[in-house]
Amino acid sequence: MDATAASITLADVGKVYPDGTVAVDDFSLEVRAGELAVLIGASGSGKSTILRMINRLIEPTRGTITIDGRDVLKQDPVQLRRQIGYVIQNVGLFPHQTVRANVGTVARLLGWDRKRINQRADELLDIVGLDPARYGKRYPHELSGGQRQRVGVARALAADPLVLLMDEPFSAVDPIVRARLQEEFLRLQATVRKTIVLVTHDIDEAVRMGDRIAVLAEGGRLLQYATPAELLSRPASAEVRDFIGADRGIRRLAVTPVRDVMSPYTGPADGLPTVDAVATLHDALAVMLTSDATTVLVTEDGHPIGQVTRTAVFDTPVPETRI
């Protein structure tokens, strides 16, 4: 198992409130170590309740939740939360503390010495794209919304938790900043490889961010749990199909690498538009439409390695289901 991440298992978890309201009913899910799992569903589907039951901000009525094989319900909840990173929509930074102090909050609670805390805070500020020399001594009100969100992510990672929980983390910023934060977070995740459970209401964010996506219905019913490509290609029911929308075919292009449909190219490369080998079919189609071309050249390190035709884009095969 990856030493920086831990699996999360929810087995027959339920939450029923005293008035009889069923927020979550017999919910089971496994998140593999180092995986980013997205919970998505309409209002009332219990996605935030499920997230908060993992760190016991809400106590489940029944079922078991384990992290790295350890039952969270048998652990001290305060100690448990100090081992889990938590990022919320409005960040929740302490307004009277500097950025550096905010990032070091959990590390202080764990008894780290000041030098170690400051070193870790500066390291993480640098990782999330905030120069510690410039931003470390500022206060939250002196930052933009996107900058505050980055500080929130840095704070959640400060004590090097195995698990990171994120509740609508990017929804409070405008679409342009949100897309930039998503991209930066994916780069960060490629480096730190934490186990992440992310709640969102945005299917495009779920498809872009998730290794696997759990689609929930009212009462915390799990409708489908699959990779983005599988979800868009094979909705498990009419309810899932309606939720992800009629344009799921277009969304599927955004999660299909050009390498999946690339064919050899032996002709001259002059005049053909290009896409990088890490691009998706959505990128390739966009280049074709912009350039009024029916073929794009796929390049790696500046050298042509294949081609993608417009026909290949529209004839993209449905991916095999992964277990």
PDB file of all heavy atoms in Angstrom, residues 11-16 22-27 49 53 59-64 219:
ATOM      1  N   ALA A  11     -19.331   0.442   4.568  1.00  0.00           N
ATOM      2  CA  ALA A  11     -20.124  -0.771   4.423  1.00  0.00           C
ATOM      3  C   ALA A  11     -21.472  -0.608   5.114  1.00  0.00           C
ATOM      4  O   ALA A  11     -21.537  -0.439   6.340  1.00  0.00           O
ATOM      5  CB  ALA A  11     -19.373  -1.968   5.014  1.00  0.00           C
ATOM      6  N   ASP A  12     -22.548  -0.608   4.323  1.00  0.00           N
ATOM      7  CA  ASP A  12     -23.921  -0.529   4.833  1.00  0.00           C
ATOM      8  C   ASP A  12     -24.105   0.643   5.791  1.00  0.00           C
ATOM      9  O   ASP A  12     -24.759   0.526   6.838  1.00  0.00           O
ATOM     10  CB  ASP A  12     -24.303  -1.837   5.531  1.00  0.00           C
ATOM     11  CG  ASP A  12     -24.172  -3.039   4.611  1.00  0.00           C
ATOM     12  OD1 ASP A  12     -24.564  -2.924   3.442  1.00  0.00           O
ATOM     13  OD2 ASP A  12     -23.666  -4.084   5.063  1.00  0.00           O
ATOM     14  N   VAL A  13     -23.550   1.777   5.419  1.00  0.00           N
ATOM     15  CA  VAL A  13     -23.612   2.971   6.268  1.00  0.00           C
ATOM     16  C   VAL A  13     -24.968   3.660   6.096  1.00  0.00           C
ATOM     17  O   VAL A  13     -25.463   3.826   4.978  1.00  0.00           O
ATOM     18  CB  VAL A  13     -22.464   3.945   5.928  1.00  0.00           C
ATOM     19  CG1 VAL A  13     -22.622   5.259   6.691  1.00  0.00           C
ATOM     20  CG2 VAL A  13     -21.121   3.299   6.242  1.00  0.00           C
ATOM     21  N   GLY A  14     -25.559   4.041   7.215  1.00  0.00           N
ATOM     22  CA  GLY A  14     -26.831   4.748   7.170  1.00  0.00           C
ATOM     23  C   GLY A  14     -26.867   5.895   8.157  1.00  0.00           C
ATOM     24  O   GLY A  14     -26.167   5.884   9.171  1.00  0.00           O
ATOM     25  N   LYS A  15     -27.669   6.904   7.835  1.00  0.00           N
ATOM     26  CA  LYS A  15     -27.902   8.015   8.752  1.00  0.00           C
ATOM     27  C   LYS A  15     -29.380   8.354   8.747  1.00  0.00           C
ATOM     28  O   LYS A  15     -29.954   8.770   7.730  1.00  0.00           O
ATOM     29  CB  LYS A  15     -27.091   9.247   8.334  1.00  0.00           C
ATOM     30  CG  LYS A  15     -27.339  10.458   9.240  1.00  0.00           C
ATOM     31  CD  LYS A  15     -26.940  10.181  10.684  1.00  0.00           C
ATOM     32  CE  LYS A  15     -27.210  11.362  11.601  1.00  0.00           C
ATOM     33  NZ  LYS A  15     -26.832  11.077  13.005  1.00  0.00           N
ATOM     34  N   VAL A  16     -30.022   8.147   9.908  1.00  0.00           N
ATOM     35  CA  VAL A  16     -31.430   8.480  10.087  1.00  0.00           C
ATOM     36  C   VAL A  16     -31.528   9.469  11.236  1.00  0.00           C
ATOM     37  O   VAL A  16     -31.028   9.219  12.336  1.00  0.00           O
ATOM     38  CB  VAL A  16     -32.270   7.223  10.411  1.00  0.00           C
ATOM     39  CG1 VAL A  16     -33.737   7.606  10.578  1.00  0.00           C
ATOM     40  CG2 VAL A  16     -32.101   6.170   9.331  1.00  0.00           C
ATOM     41  N   VAL A  22     -34.478   9.970   6.482  1.00  0.00           N
ATOM     42  CA  VAL A  22     -33.381   9.089   6.057  1.00  0.00           C
ATOM     43  C   VAL A  22     -32.461   9.892   5.132  1.00  0.00           C
ATOM     44  O   VAL A  22     -32.794  10.135   3.972  1.00  0.00           O
ATOM     45  CB  VAL A  22     -33.905   7.831   5.345  1.00  0.00           C
ATOM     46  CG1 VAL A  22     -32.733   6.954   4.889  1.00  0.00           C
ATOM     47  CG2 VAL A  22     -34.842   7.053   6.254  1.00  0.00           C
ATOM     48  N   ALA A  23     -31.313  10.295   5.664  1.00  0.00           N
ATOM     49  CA  ALA A  23     -30.358  11.056   4.850  1.00  0.00           C
ATOM     50  C   ALA A  23     -29.531  10.134   3.973  1.00  0.00           C
ATOM     51  O   ALA A  23     -29.228  10.446   2.824  1.00  0.00           O
ATOM     52  CB  ALA A  23     -29.440  11.878   5.754  1.00  0.00           C
ATOM     53  N   VAL A  24     -29.141   8.983   4.538  1.00  0.00           N
ATOM     54  CA  VAL A  24     -28.344   7.984   3.817  1.00  0.00           C
ATOM     55  C   VAL A  24     -28.870   6.612   4.213  1.00  0.00           C
ATOM     56  O   VAL A  24     -29.094   6.341   5.389  1.00  0.00           O
ATOM     57  CB  VAL A  24     -26.840   8.095   4.163  1.00  0.00           C
ATOM     58  CG1 VAL A  24     -26.038   7.010   3.454  1.00  0.00           C
ATOM     59  CG2 VAL A  24     -26.310   9.477   3.796  1.00  0.00           C
ATOM     60  N   ASP A  25     -29.046   5.735   3.216  1.00  0.00           N
ATOM     61  CA  ASP A  25     -29.644   4.425   3.490  1.00  0.00           C
ATOM     62  C   ASP A  25     -28.771   3.312   2.922  1.00  0.00           C
ATOM     63  O   ASP A  25     -28.654   3.163   1.705  1.00  0.00           O
ATOM     64  CB  ASP A  25     -31.035   4.362   2.870  1.00  0.00           C
ATOM     65  CG  ASP A  25     -31.788   3.102   3.256  1.00  0.00           C
ATOM     66  OD1 ASP A  25     -31.430   2.503   4.286  1.00  0.00           O
ATOM     67  OD2 ASP A  25     -32.731   2.730   2.525  1.00  0.00           O
ATOM     68  N   ASP A  26     -28.117   2.547   3.814  1.00  0.00           N
ATOM     69  CA  ASP A  26     -27.342   1.362   3.423  1.00  0.00           C
ATOM     70  C   ASP A  26     -26.371   1.660   2.280  1.00  0.00           C
ATOM     71  O   ASP A  26     -26.417   1.032   1.216  1.00  0.00           O
ATOM     72  CB  ASP A  26     -28.274   0.215   3.025  1.00  0.00           C
ATOM     73  CG  ASP A  26     -29.067  -0.295   4.221  1.00  0.00           C
ATOM     74  OD1 ASP A  26     -28.549  -0.222   5.347  1.00  0.00           O
ATOM     75  OD2 ASP A  26     -30.201  -0.754   4.028  1.00  0.00           O
ATOM     76  N   PHE A  27     -25.477   2.591   2.523  1.00  0.00           N
ATOM     77  CA  PHE A  27     -24.534   3.026   1.498  1.00  0.00           C
ATOM     78  C   PHE A  27     -23.210   2.284   1.651  1.00  0.00           C
ATOM     79  O   PHE A  27     -22.636   2.227   2.751  1.00  0.00           O
ATOM     80  CB  PHE A  27     -24.292   4.536   1.636  1.00  0.00           C
ATOM     81  CG  PHE A  27     -23.360   5.099   0.610  1.00  0.00           C
ATOM     82  CD1 PHE A  27     -23.813   5.437  -0.648  1.00  0.00           C
ATOM     83  CD2 PHE A  27     -22.015   5.297   0.897  1.00  0.00           C
ATOM     84  CE1 PHE A  27     -22.956   5.960  -1.612  1.00  0.00           C
ATOM     85  CE2 PHE A  27     -21.151   5.826  -0.038  1.00  0.00           C
ATOM     86  CZ  PHE A  27     -21.625   6.151  -1.296  1.00  0.00           C
ATOM     87  N   THR A  49     -23.369  14.544   3.617  1.00  0.00           N
ATOM     88  CA  THR A  49     -23.543  13.756   4.848  1.00  0.00           C
ATOM     89  C   THR A  49     -22.569  12.582   4.868  1.00  0.00           C
ATOM     90  O   THR A  49     -21.932  12.303   5.893  1.00  0.00           O
ATOM     91  CB  THR A  49     -24.990  13.239   4.953  1.00  0.00           C
ATOM     92  OG1 THR A  49     -25.884  14.362   4.968  1.00  0.00           O
ATOM     93  CG2 THR A  49     -25.187  12.416   6.212  1.00  0.00           C
ATOM     94  N   MET A  53     -19.546  11.917   7.543  1.00  0.00           N
ATOM     95  CA  MET A  53     -19.531  10.721   8.385  1.00  0.00           C
ATOM     96  C   MET A  53     -18.148  10.075   8.379  1.00  0.00           C
ATOM     97  O   MET A  53     -17.770   9.406   9.347  1.00  0.00           O
ATOM     98  CB  MET A  53     -20.594   9.714   7.927  1.00  0.00           C
ATOM     99  CG  MET A  53     -22.011  10.131   8.320  1.00  0.00           C
ATOM    100  SD  MET A  53     -23.243   8.803   8.155  1.00  0.00           S
ATOM    101  CE  MET A  53     -23.358   8.670   6.378  1.00  0.00           C
ATOM    102  N   GLU A  59     -22.300  11.632  13.006  1.00  0.00           N
ATOM    103  CA  GLU A  59     -22.179  10.243  13.447  1.00  0.00           C
ATOM    104  C   GLU A  59     -23.163   9.364  12.671  1.00  0.00           C
ATOM    105  O   GLU A  59     -24.366   9.658  12.642  1.00  0.00           O
ATOM    106  CB  GLU A  59     -22.455  10.129  14.949  1.00  0.00           C
ATOM    107  CG  GLU A  59     -21.416  10.806  15.829  1.00  0.00           C
ATOM    108  CD  GLU A  59     -20.096  10.037  15.875  1.00  0.00           C
ATOM    109  OE1 GLU A  59     -20.088   8.837  15.506  1.00  0.00           O
ATOM    110  OE2 GLU A  59     -19.085  10.626  16.276  1.00  0.00           O
ATOM    111  N   PRO A  60     -22.692   8.288  12.045  1.00  0.00           N
ATOM    112  CA  PRO A  60     -23.613   7.390  11.346  1.00  0.00           C
ATOM    113  C   PRO A  60     -24.537   6.662  12.314  1.00  0.00           C
ATOM    114  O   PRO A  60     -24.174   6.414  13.467  1.00  0.00           O
ATOM    115  CB  PRO A  60     -22.676   6.410  10.634  1.00  0.00           C
ATOM    116  CG  PRO A  60     -21.403   6.461  11.394  1.00  0.00           C
ATOM    117  CD  PRO A  60     -21.292   7.851  11.942  1.00  0.00           C
ATOM    118  N   THR A  61     -25.717   6.320  11.853  1.00  0.00           N
ATOM    119  CA  THR A  61     -26.667   5.558  12.653  1.00  0.00           C
ATOM    120  C   THR A  61     -26.317   4.076  12.666  1.00  0.00           C
ATOM    121  O   THR A  61     -26.517   3.381  13.662  1.00  0.00           O
ATOM    122  CB  THR A  61     -28.093   5.744  12.099  1.00  0.00           C
ATOM    123  OG1 THR A  61     -28.382   7.146  12.009  1.00  0.00           O
ATOM    124  CG2 THR A  61     -29.127   5.075  12.990  1.00  0.00           C
ATOM    125  N   ARG A  62     -25.773   3.608  11.543  1.00  0.00           N
ATOM    126  CA  ARG A  62     -25.403   2.194  11.440  1.00  0.00           C
ATOM    127  C   ARG A  62     -24.304   2.047  10.381  1.00  0.00           C
ATOM    128  O   ARG A  62     -23.995   2.985   9.643  1.00  0.00           O
ATOM    129  CB  ARG A  62     -26.616   1.341  11.054  1.00  0.00           C
ATOM    130  CG  ARG A  62     -27.243   1.716   9.729  1.00  0.00           C
ATOM    131  CD  ARG A  62     -28.424   0.825   9.386  1.00  0.00           C
ATOM    132  NE  ARG A  62     -29.061   1.249   8.143  1.00  0.00           N
ATOM    133  CZ  ARG A  62     -30.014   2.175   8.081  1.00  0.00           C
ATOM    134  NH1 ARG A  62     -30.440   2.764   9.197  1.00  0.00           N
ATOM    135  NH2 ARG A  62     -30.544   2.510   6.916  1.00  0.00           N
ATOM    136  N   GLY A  63     -23.742   0.843  10.328  1.00  0.00           N
ATOM    137  CA  GLY A  63     -22.723   0.541   9.339  1.00  0.00           C
ATOM    138  C   GLY A  63     -21.318   0.767   9.870  1.00  0.00           C
ATOM    139  O   GLY A  63     -21.118   1.195  11.011  1.00  0.00           O
ATOM    140  N   THR A  64     -20.343   0.461   9.045  1.00  0.00           N
ATOM    141  CA  THR A  64     -18.939   0.636   9.424  1.00  0.00           C
ATOM    142  C   THR A  64     -18.210   1.468   8.375  1.00  0.00           C
ATOM    143  O   THR A  64     -18.507   1.382   7.175  1.00  0.00           O
ATOM    144  CB  THR A  64     -18.222  -0.724   9.573  1.00  0.00           C
ATOM    145  OG1 THR A  64     -18.301  -1.430   8.323  1.00  0.00           O
ATOM    146  CG2 THR A  64     -18.847  -1.562  10.667  1.00  0.00           C
ATOM    147  N   GLY A 219     -31.628  10.128  -0.561  1.00  0.00           N
ATOM    148  CA  GLY A 219     -31.469   9.161   0.504  1.00  0.00           C
ATOM    149  C   GLY A 219     -30.151   8.420   0.465  1.00  0.00           C
ATOM    150  O   GLY A 219     -29.985   7.418   1.156  1.00  0.00           O
TER     151      GLY A 219
END
